[in-house]
Each structure stands twice: as structure tokens, then as C-alpha cells.
Amino acid sequence: MHEASFESVLKTVLIILLIYFGFKIFIKWFGPLILKWFLKRIGQKFQQQFNGTAAPKAPKKGKVILDSDKPKTSSSNKKVGEYIDFEEID
């Protein structure tokens, strides 16, 4: 079994701190640019969907697509039960 020397522990701690602070500085400098790019891209997708300019998906060969103009309404003609009127007795 190996013993950890003070120098190797100190070296490991310094590397961890360097990575932590390096990442923190990187996000501070480049985070807003990455976020701006991401939001612009999402905004363009929403704009395309809103304008209806998104490329329609072409149906695959052999697929059958049915388009109907009738609104789908579900009305039930089943008798659920008989309505009984009641009076409260004092």
C-alpha cells in the first residue's frame, strides 16, 4: 500500500482548486455569449413555427394519411340513469 505524501496531497488540492476557479472564470467570461447564442437559436425556431415556415415533414413512401374536416365530438346517447327528485323531511 502506498502512503500519500504531503506534496502529493498538496498537489492534488491545488489542481482541484485550479480546475474549479478556471471553470468559474470561463463561465463568467463565456457564459453570456453561450447563453445569447442558445437563446437566439431557440428564438429562431419559435419564429419559424409561428410563421409556419417550418419545413413540413414529407410522408414516407407507403404511408397513408387521412385528413378529415369533420370536428371530432364525442356525444353519448346512453341513459345513465333516471332522475329522481327528492324532498327534505324535517
Side-chain angles (χ1 to χ4, degrees):
M1 184 174 263
H2 297 280
E3 276 187 34
S5 67
F6 178 73
E7 290 135 7
S8 64
V9 171
L10 184 62
K11 187 176 179 180
T12 304
V13 170
L14 288 176
I15 289 173
I16 291 172
L17 287 174
L18 181 67
I19 290 172
Y20 172 73
F21 286 113
F23 183 72
K24 203 172 172 183
I25 290 171
F26 177 80
I27 291 299
K28 190 174 186 176
W29 286 346
F30 295 108
L33 296 175
I34 294 170
L35 186 63
K36 189 184 294 185
W37 173 79
F38 182 73
L39 290 175
K40 184 188 289 187
R41 193 169 150 208
I42 295 296
Q44 287 173 352
K45 285 185 180 180
F46 280 131
Q47 188 70 28
Q48 285 177 349
Q49 287 179 353
F50 182 74
N51 290 338
T53 58
K57 294 181 180 178
K60 293 182 180 178
K61 189 174 184 178
K63 284 268 187 179
V64 176
I65 299 175
L66 299 176
D67 292 331
S68 68
D69 293 336
K70 289 191 254 180
K72 294 181 179 181
T73 58
S74 59
S75 60
S76 176
N77 292 336
K78 297 179 188 176
K79 276 199 165 186
V80 177
E82 191 174 325
Y83 179 75
I84 300 173
D85 192 21
F86 66 94
E87 292 181 15
E88 190 173 317
I89 299 175
D90 290 325

